[in-house]
Amino acid sequence: GSSPEEVVANQIDSMIGSIPELFDISSIQQSMRARPGPEALKTVLYQEVTRYNVLLSHIRKSLGNLRNAVTGFAAITPNLEEIMTALLEYKVPRSWSMAYPSTKPLGSWINDLQLRIRQIRLWIDYGIPNVFWLSGFTYPSGFLTAVLQTMSRAKGVAIDTLNWEFHVVEKSGDEITEGPKDGGVFVSGLYLEGARWDFSENQLAESLPMELMSQMPILHFKPVEGKKKINRNMYECPLYMYPVRTGTRERPSFVISVDLKSGNQTDDHWTKRGVALLLSSSE
């Protein structure tokens, strides 16, 4: 059989092609400056691009260094050894999770990274997306704050007078040809854990047997003025970045509470079940 070094060298050779290229930040800023659209969203785009560039260059560098080490051109450091062990176990090296948390195995993680970069490239090349894949942001909460800022500027009201309303959109992403007319954003990428969405009744329902997670329809996150209405048949569903609900000390997993119709059950029922929305799964 092959030695671990040979296995990793081959792994690196096949992987390096699937790591996206870095963004050219200065050309992006130049093309975005001339473009109409909310400044707050442009700022989020620059921040995301910057964070992804740091991650992408770190991945490329660590793979290059590890390649040199396993082929005998450089010494293997404890850091590189940790990366090598992770790759051999098809896990994501710990230092690669600097930009966002995840519990995915290596192959899915790289696919997910490609999708994240793709969303940003499409935004840069074709303008603001009609539907935002919320899972693709390193800081989803920063993006949502920018949506509130955009509305507060458009309406000339203080940002803290705005609250979120959440409306289920009864269309697939392909059927949506423009963003919401009345402000806010269409959002995809949410999963329900501990319940499922009943598409025909448009409300929460019991999970199907053996199904831990199920897909949520597209939601319209809409900023509205005034106090939040207390609604008896709504469940305030917590939204987390990934399956580890507590997150880490540096990075909480909680993003926002999303009001969902509680259906034939009381909101209490779903609270006891620990029903939550997630932006990513462990698969």
Side-chain angles (χ1 to χ4, degrees):
S2 314
S3 70
E5 285 77 11
E6 287 167 329
V7 172
V8 165
N10 289 334
Q11 227 180 334
I12 292 171
D13 291 343
S14 66
M15 252 171 80
I16 200 83
S18 28
I19 306 302
E21 294 293 327
L22 273 72
F23 292 100
D24 178 346
I25 293 189
S26 60
S27 82
I28 291 168
Q29 285 180 324
Q30 237 169 346
S31 71
M32 293 300 289
R33 235 174 255 138
R35 211 184 275 178
E39 285 305 313
L41 285 184
K42 288 183 190 177
T43 303
V44 166
L45 181 63
Y46 300 146
Q47 289 169 339
E48 290 288 321
V49 163
T50 306
R51 286 190 205 110
Y52 278 120
N53 265 6
V54 171
L55 173 64
L56 292 170
S57 82
H58 172 74
I59 294 173
R60 286 178 172 277
K61 198 167 141 192
S62 58
L63 287 177
N65 291 346
L66 183 57
R67 180 107 187 52
N68 287 339
V70 295
T71 47
F73 290 106
I76 209 159
T77 61
N79 189 9
L80 288 176
E81 201 164 333
E82 194 185 339
I83 293 171
M84 177 168 158
T85 305
L87 296 186
L88 286 169
E89 294 172 359
Y90 297 103
K91 289 181 180 156
V92 180
R94 208 177 50 198
S95 67
W96 294 9
S97 56
M98 48 157 64
Y100 51 89
S102 173
T103 49
K104 290 181 183 298
L106 185 60
S108 317
W109 188 86
I110 287 176
N111 288 344
D112 177 71
L113 174 62
Q114 291 171 335
L115 291 172
R116 288 163 171 267
I117 300 301
R118 184 171 166 262
Q119 165 162 265
I120 291 182
R121 291 225 182 270
L122 290 171
W123 185 352
I124 293 161
D125 294 344
Y126 299 103
I128 295 176
N130 299 325
V131 180
F132 284 94
W133 178 49
L134 193 57
S135 321
F137 287 95
T138 60
Y139 275 86
S141 49
F143 165 69
L144 293 175
T145 302
V147 175
L148 289 175
Q149 282 169 337
T150 301
M151 191 64 148
S152 92
R153 284 180 194 161
K155 291 229 161 159
V157 297
I159 193 164
D160 54 13
T161 62
L162 293 174
N163 271 301
W164 289 108
E165 269 183 9
F166 306 95
H167 303 282
V168 170
V169 180
E170 297 186 47
K171 279 181 177 174
S172 71
D174 303 336
E175 295 172 298
I176 296 174
T177 51
E178 54 183 351
K181 286 260 195 288
D182 46 355
V185 284
F186 292 137
V187 164
S188 70
L190 280 63
Y191 297 91
L192 264 173
E193 193 175 48
R196 71 184 165 88
W197 191 253
D198 182 333
F199 283 80
S200 58
E201 297 290 330
N202 233 337
Q203 60 190 25
L204 284 170
E206 298 294 347
S207 300
L208 298 171
M210 307 301 292
E211 188 181 68
L212 292 173
M213 290 178 90
S214 61
Q215 205 126 26
M216 193 62 200
I218 290 172
L219 292 176
H220 179 186
F221 279 50
K222 183 181 168 186
V224 292
E225 275 183 85
K227 281 213 167 61
K228 197 173 161 180
K229 299 186 201 62
I230 303 294
N231 193 328
R232 299 256 340 143
N233 20 0
M234 287 288 190
Y235 169 56
E236 262 193 57
C237 188
L239 169 64
Y240 298 99
M241 283 186 75
Y242 68 131
V244 182
R245 298 185 182 189
T246 47
T248 61
R249 207 176 51 213
E250 299 79 36
R251 284 221 60 184
S253 183
F254 178 75
V255 180
I256 189 176
S257 284
V258 176
D259 298 326
L260 299 176
K261 280 191 184 153
S262 48
N264 306 331
Q265 305 288 351
T266 59
D267 57 349
D268 216 32
H269 173 83
W270 302 120
T271 307
K272 287 198 183 95
R273 284 279 161 94
V275 171
L277 287 163
L278 303 179
L279 288 176
S280 80
S281 70
S282 297
E283 282 165 16

